[in-house]
Every structure is written in structure tokens, then in C-alpha cells.
Amino acid sequence: MDILLKENVLRRARLLHQQNPVVDAHFDLPGELLLRHKRGERDIIRRDYLEKWKRAGLKLLVASVFVPTAITTRENPEEILADVLDQIEALFGEMQGNGQLTLIRDRTDLERVLKTDQIGILLYLEGLDCIGEELFVLSRLFEKGVRGAALTWSRKNALATGCCKAGEYKQIPGQITEAGRRVIREMERLSMFLDVSHLNDEGFEQVLTIAKKPFLATHSGSRSVYDNYRNLTDEQMILLSGQGGVMGLNGCKLIAGSLSGNHLEMLCKHAEYETKLMGAGHVGLGLDFCDAYDRAAAAAAGKMLTEEMDCLRDHTGLILLTAALLQRGMAEMDVIAIMGESMLRYFRAVLPGGA
Ligand SMILES: [Zn+2]
């Protein structure tokens, strides 16, 4: 049984979403667009998303380029890069001529978008398998507009070792490689943000000694609230916030720990625990909605999606989360920070032209 929300709290939540910026730091949009474009669909963002994003008050979305393991394990790294570039083109194709969306390349773009009714898109790679060990490929991707990356997804590559997939429960041993260290330094030189959400525990510890600029965990919960290696330990959370990072609340049932259907309750528990430990200024949203991507991937394979994993129906479900946090007694200022202000502070500081 999930939380029953009172009408007056829902009204307050709707108002907060009209008056304050909402940021989702993790959404697998480009891959979904590419898969659906291949099946002849077009104008997907305008038809499926825009109205809901506006209703949720979304102002900034981190569009995550995810390359499935079936492609990353191919011999030729150029095939991985080709998939990444195809995903980026699919996203740009949808953004072109859509006056509602702006690619955020620097702090100035971000500030401009925040003053309009547009939504900013930050381009990010969930794993850098596509660069092999080559820094010049990273620079090329930066030129294209990529502003952030995780060294690896939940797997080992030339740069680092990921933690296991959310549905598994095992530690994959492995360190950040020499090439991985060089990549972190180059990302910092370019003012790209570094995401540690999928790193294994060893890698997290190493990043602390390598990174000179604040890094974040775009889509992870608290391991004390729900024991899963995709979530951060208390110690990791304190270290993450201590260096100026933010963690994005993950809205996948497997990571939030809400398989029994108590989605709002579990999301609130993560948010409240993280706020108590680090302060709301280090808590944001990185919802990791994957049902749309998984549905597109299933359709491409001639199948139907059998199991949905998103805790909320879509981004408009965030209004329910806000209401649930308020109803359980979280201060309005803290809710506003979690909705978007914490992530905005981070991106303002880290993007090119930032503090
Ligand atoms: Zn992920």
C-alpha cells in the first residue's frame, strides 16, 4: 500500500511545480528516440513528452546516451561510437525546429533557458566505451555538445569497472585504469561533469583521490535504505556531498526497493535519509525512467515489454512525490532543493563558464 495523498497537499505540490525549476539528471532518451526512429516514428518528444514535462515544471533534463552491452562487446570500437553518434543525431533531429528545447553547452545557455519557458537538454554518456582510451574522441564528443559522462556502466571497460546491474547482488572487482585517470583529468579540463553512479566501490574511492572538481551520482539511492550495490553507502554519501556533489534520487523499482508497490514511500525514505545525512542541497532527482526505452528495445526485437520498472508513471508523477514529501513533514525549502535547485547549483558550478 502506497501513501494516500491529501487534496490540499496535492494543490500545494502542483503550485510548487509551477513556481520552481524541476531537474531530472538521468533519462535514457536518445536511445529510445533512435530505436523508434528506426521503426519509422518521428516527432516523439513533441507527441509523447513535451506536454507532460511542462506540466511537471521540468526545466532541465540530462539526456543519457546508453549503449547496450550487445554493442559495447563488439570488437570494433568504431561500431560503439557509431551507435553513440546515431543516438545524438536522433536527439538533435527531434530538437531541430522544436522551439521548446535548447541544448545546454555552457552556463550562459543554462541561465538563458531558466529565464524562458524552454526546457534545457544536457547531453551525457552513460559509459565511455565508445572512446576506448582515446582522449581525442572525448574532445570530438565535447565539440558535439556532450557535457558529462560516467566512465563505465555496470560493466568493465578500458577505463573503469562498474558495480553490478541493479537486479544482481555482487561486487565486481576492478580499478580505475591509467587511461581512466587521464579521462577524468581531460573531462575536468573540458568542464564536463563526472558521474559515479555506476562505479564499483573501489572506483568510487579512487575518484576521490583523482578528481579535483566536484563529481556527482546522477541516479543512485541510499544503500542504508535499500541494500543494492547501485546505491551509495553512508560514507560515500558524506564524501560525495563533502566535495560539492549531488545525488539524484533513482526512480527505478529495483534501485528504490519498491517492488511491492510502495513507490512513493520508498522514494520518500531515500530522499529523507539523504537529506538528513547530507542536507537537501546535495539531493536531487535522477529518475532513471527506463520503461519507454525498454519498450522501444522490446519492440525492435519484435517483443512486448513484460515488466515495468519505473516508480512513477511519467514526469508528472513528480508532483505526487513532492506532495508525499510535504505530507510526511519535509520543509518546503528542502523539497524545492530536491526538485531542482540542488542540481542547478551543481551544473552552474561545473559547466563551461561556471564558477
Ligand atoms: Zn544507469
Side-chain angles (χ1 to χ4, degrees):
M1 182 72 180
D2 216 345
I3 301 168
L4 286 174
L5 298 163
K6 293 181 188 139
E7 188 47 47
N8 64 326
V9 188
L10 272 168
R11 263 201 305 276
R12 186 77 205 126
R14 278 186 215 109
L15 202 64
L16 283 187
H17 278 256
Q18 282 167 24
Q19 293 170 340
N20 299 279
V22 174
V23 178
D24 179 1
H26 198 98
F27 187 42
D28 285 17
L29 180 64
E32 180 204 340
L33 296 176
L34 178 61
L35 287 164
R36 291 175 68 180
H37 284 183
K38 283 182 178 169
R39 293 170 60 80
E41 288 189 71
R42 290 292 180 274
D43 210 11
I44 295 160
I45 294 180
R46 194 184 56 78
R47 286 188 293 119
D48 286 7
Y49 288 112
L50 210 50
E51 195 263 327
K52 288 171 189 158
W53 288 348
K54 294 261 171 185
R55 224 176 333 137
L58 193 74
K59 286 303 293 175
L60 182 67
L61 182 74
V62 175
S64 166
V65 175
F66 168 75
V67 182
T69 306
I71 296 176
T72 59
T73 44
R74 286 183 195 162
E75 288 296 306
N76 185 357
E78 280 178 15
E79 286 183 51
I80 310 170
L81 186 61
D83 186 72
V84 166
L85 295 174
D86 285 350
Q87 289 191 40
I88 293 173
E89 287 313 317
L91 175 68
F92 286 176
E94 291 257 340
M95 290 173 69
Q96 222 165 38
N98 186 333
Q100 300 292 301
L101 304 169
T102 296
L103 184 72
I104 305 293
R105 289 176 174 272
D106 55 29
R107 167 108 188 241
T108 311
D109 291 341
L110 179 61
E111 300 300 347
R112 197 185 317 122
V113 158
L114 289 173
K115 288 195 193 96
T116 68
D117 65 348
Q118 292 188 323
I119 296 169
I121 303 282
L122 261 175
L123 194 50
Y124 148 97
L125 303 185
E126 189 167 25
L128 285 170
D129 308 74
C130 65
I131 73 166
E133 298 186 346
E134 302 295 347
L135 295 185
F136 77 91
V137 185
L138 187 69
S139 298
R140 266 182 63 193
L141 290 163
F142 178 83
E143 289 298 314
K144 271 239 155 245
V146 176
R147 287 298 176 267
L151 292 180
T152 185
W153 184 68
S154 291
R155 59 191 165 218
K156 202 173 217 153
N157 65 14
L159 310 177
T161 300
C163 63
C164 62
K165 285 193 241 170
E168 298 167 346
Y169 191 81
K170 59 174 192 208
Q171 280 275 17
I172 309 174
Q175 305 240 318
I176 294 178
T177 63
E178 259 319 304
R181 289 169 183 272
R182 283 198 298 275
V183 165
I184 292 175
R185 286 192 284 268
E186 180 66 359
M187 284 176 70
E188 290 189 340
R189 193 187 66 80
L190 293 166
S191 294
M192 290 172 75
F193 64 87
L194 174 68
D195 175 23
V196 299
S197 268
H198 276 273
L199 266 185
N200 63 357
D201 288 351
E202 281 174 270
F204 185 101
E205 220 164 282
Q206 283 179 287
V207 165
L208 284 165
T209 65
I210 304 164
K212 302 271 186 292
K213 292 188 179 178
F215 57 86
L216 84 172
T218 61
H219 57 310
S220 291
S222 149
R223 213 180 288 180
S224 289
V225 174
Y226 182 67
D227 192 11
N228 184 304
Y229 286 119
R230 279 283 287 98
N231 291 332
L232 303 185
T233 64
D234 289 4
E235 194 194 351
Q236 287 171 337
M237 282 159 59
I238 288 164
L239 292 165
L240 182 91
S241 59
Q243 51 89 51
V246 180
M247 62 192 277
L249 195 65
N250 192 306
C252 167
K253 295 175 193 176
L254 288 173
I255 295 169
S258 67
L259 281 167
S260 64
N262 54 340
H263 309 307
L264 288 177
E265 186 195 13
M266 287 310 291
L267 289 174
C268 285
K269 280 186 175 173
H270 284 278
E272 287 158 359
Y273 190 83
E274 292 164 18
T275 299
K276 204 169 145 215
L277 202 69
M278 306 184 291
H282 298 280
V283 187
L285 305 170
L287 297 160
D288 200 13
F289 289 157
C290 285
D291 287 345
Y293 175 90
D294 289 341
R295 198 169 290 120
K303 294 179 192 156
M304 299 274 283
L305 182 67
T306 49
E307 212 177 359
E308 295 188 340
M309 281 299 157
D310 297 346
C311 285
L312 304 172
R313 197 183 43 201
D314 52 48
H315 283 92
T316 60
L318 283 173
I319 297 167
L320 306 182
L321 176 61
T322 293
L325 288 169
L326 292 171
Q327 190 166 298
R328 286 163 64 97
M330 187 179 280
E332 199 169 283
M333 235 175 64
D334 288 349
V335 178
I336 291 168
I338 294 171
M339 280 167 56
E341 285 296 347
S342 305
M343 283 292 179
L344 283 180
R345 176 195 52 77
Y346 175 83
F347 288 124
R348 277 184 168 121
V350 172
L351 284 174

